[in-house]
Amino acid sequence: MPTAPKPEMVFLTVTWSADRAHFSLLHHSLQLSALRAVPHHVVVQHEDLELFRAFADKRTQLYSSAEVLPAPVESRRNIARTWQKRCGRGATRIAGSFARHVGWPDWVRYTGWHTQQLTKLAFVAASEVDTVVVMDSDVIITPHASAADFIQPGKIVCYRDERPADTLRGKVLHWQQTACRLLDDPFAVATSFDGYYDTPFVMHAPTVRALLAWLEQRYAQPWWLTLVQQPPRQWSEFGIYKQFLRHHQTQPVDWRGADIMGYLFDARDIGELSCRFAELIAQQRSHCITIHSQSSGRQLWSADSYGGAIKRELDRAYGSLP
């Protein structure tokens, strides 16, 4: 029996229960899009897996975090989850501050935000398909998206967003400093910096494998341990990958501006949100639109409230195609 041809790329989403409504929109948009045939791999925190069973189909494959993360990381993630429930969001933030300054408590290094980054790296490193497009749950695919957005024969695709150097501060500054320090590179700010840390984020599996091997050789320990030993929330898997891509490998890179990525930051007014969403699609520039998730604890709005309205706009947009 002939073997099925390997796809040119796959999609990867790492998610959990609080982002299920967002993921529903992503899944719906992919099913409508020109990218519907691309395999979509979805890694869900183990305790939330059953909540996502309804999304599984011939192109959407679910995995538990326990299947992807190294066993010690999954064990410590569960410990961190218990501590988070006990402490609440405020105390967890304080614990993170303590860990950044005095190195304790250790559990805060294994909270969901950190382990989701490790999950992405572990999954991509194990991928048999070279091009893995990471999509967070709050991304929505528009009718203008195509495979060419993520693939360039003979080159590694990577998106960037060049910004003035004098605006580099906060978390992005920390992420870039940590990436340089980890990879033994000098940290210097030129006239601009790359501020693209969003998804879709294209990752090249052989390069990720080379990165993780470099870290293990340099620090003589598992790659994931090196990463979680960094100050909590001051490292980024995308930042480290980009630094390695720029300065530690030789394959040609197709650096692209992120102008095809659209963003909506305020979803309090559903009517206004729907109008702005429809406008972004009508302008034909946005191939992907992110309605930023508020599941981090602020809960200013929820995709449960606006999901129906956005699905109607999506159906209208795709229904109007020739």
Side-chain angles (χ1 to χ4, degrees):
M1 187 174 181
T3 303
K6 185 186 297 185
E8 289 186 292
M9 64 178 171
V10 297
F11 297 144
L12 170 64
T13 300
V14 180
T15 190
W16 68 308
S17 60
D19 278 338
R20 187 184 185 281
H22 288 278
F23 180 82
S24 177
L25 288 172
L26 169 61
H27 184 264
H28 185 69
S29 68
L30 280 171
Q31 298 288 81
L32 295 171
S33 77
L35 302 169
R36 67 179 69 89
V38 177
H40 188 190
H41 300 287
V42 183
V43 184
V44 182
Q45 290 184 358
H46 181 74
E47 62 276 8
D48 299 332
L49 188 61
E50 292 307 314
L51 296 174
F52 288 79
R53 287 291 182 196
F55 297 110
D57 53 42
K58 65 179 181 180
R59 289 293 175 182
T60 308
Q61 185 169 350
L62 301 183
Y63 304 82
S64 159
S65 58
E67 298 177 74
V68 177
L69 285 171
V73 177
E74 177 69 2
S75 175
R76 294 171 198 180
R77 183 189 71 79
N78 283 307
I79 292 171
R81 184 164 60 92
T82 300
W83 276 106
Q84 278 185 293
K85 287 182 177 179
R86 292 176 181 173
C87 296
R89 180 169 177 261
T92 296
R93 289 176 64 87
I94 293 171
S97 180
F98 268 106
R100 283 192 292 274
H101 293 95
V102 302
W104 177 92
D106 189 61
W107 64 263
V108 78
R109 303 175 186 276
Y110 295 89
T111 52
W113 189 81
H114 298 95
T115 56
Q116 283 193 358
Q117 294 188 79
L118 300 179
T119 301
K120 294 170 191 175
L121 291 171
F123 192 96
V124 176
S127 174
E128 295 181 356
V129 178
D130 286 354
T131 300
V132 181
V133 183
V134 179
M135 291 187 181
D136 285 348
S137 294
D138 51 6
V139 171
I140 297 170
I141 307 302
T142 80
H144 313 303
S146 71
D149 294 334
F150 310 114
I151 295 176
Q152 175 63 41
K155 290 187 176 183
I156 300 170
V157 172
C158 194
Y159 282 91
R160 65 182 177 187
D161 180 9
E162 293 298 319
R163 304 178 186 180
D166 59 6
T167 64
L168 177 59
R169 57 178 62 89
K171 63 183 182 182
V172 175
L173 172 61
H174 293 309
W175 292 345
Q176 297 199 0
Q177 288 174 328
T178 299
C180 290
R181 178 170 44 77
L182 273 177
L183 296 174
D184 292 334
D185 295 331
F187 175 75
V189 181
T191 57
S192 65
F193 71 96
D194 182 357
Y196 188 78
Y197 286 83
D198 292 306
T199 67
F201 192 99
V202 186
M203 303 192 86
H204 182 241
T207 299
V208 171
R209 287 191 284 270
L211 164 62
L212 303 190
W214 190 98
L215 290 172
E216 294 201 336
Q217 182 176 21
R218 168 66 176 81
Y219 295 99
Q221 62 183 5
W223 61 268
W224 57 265
L225 186 56
T226 295
L227 295 183
V228 298
Q229 286 174 344
Q230 305 314 303
R233 289 196 170 269
Q234 292 191 358
W235 62 275
S236 160
E237 82 282 35
F238 294 157
I240 296 165
Y241 170 80
K242 277 190 171 183
Q243 184 68 19
F244 191 85
L245 194 64
R246 288 180 186 275
H247 301 290
H248 293 265
Q249 64 87 45
T250 58
Q251 188 166 335
V253 180
D254 179 3
W255 293 102
R256 300 184 180 184
D259 53 298
I260 67 168
M261 311 301 179
Y263 301 95
L264 295 171
F265 296 96
D266 190 335
R268 284 173 287 194
D269 186 315
I270 296 175
E272 182 180 350
L273 176 70
S274 298
C275 289
R276 289 161 58 210
F277 182 80
E279 287 171 2
L280 284 177
I281 294 178
Q283 291 166 1
Q284 300 186 11
R285 288 197 301 267
S286 297
H287 296 198
C288 305
I289 299 173
T290 297
I291 305 178
H292 279 277
S293 169
Q294 294 292 310
S295 65
S296 62
R298 289 171 288 174
Q299 299 299 342
L300 300 179
W301 52 77
S302 167
D304 289 306
S305 61
Y306 61 72
I310 295 300
K311 281 186 177 180
R312 287 190 292 274
E313 292 297 340
L314 274 173
D315 292 343
R316 185 178 297 114
Y318 279 102
S320 66
L321 293 177

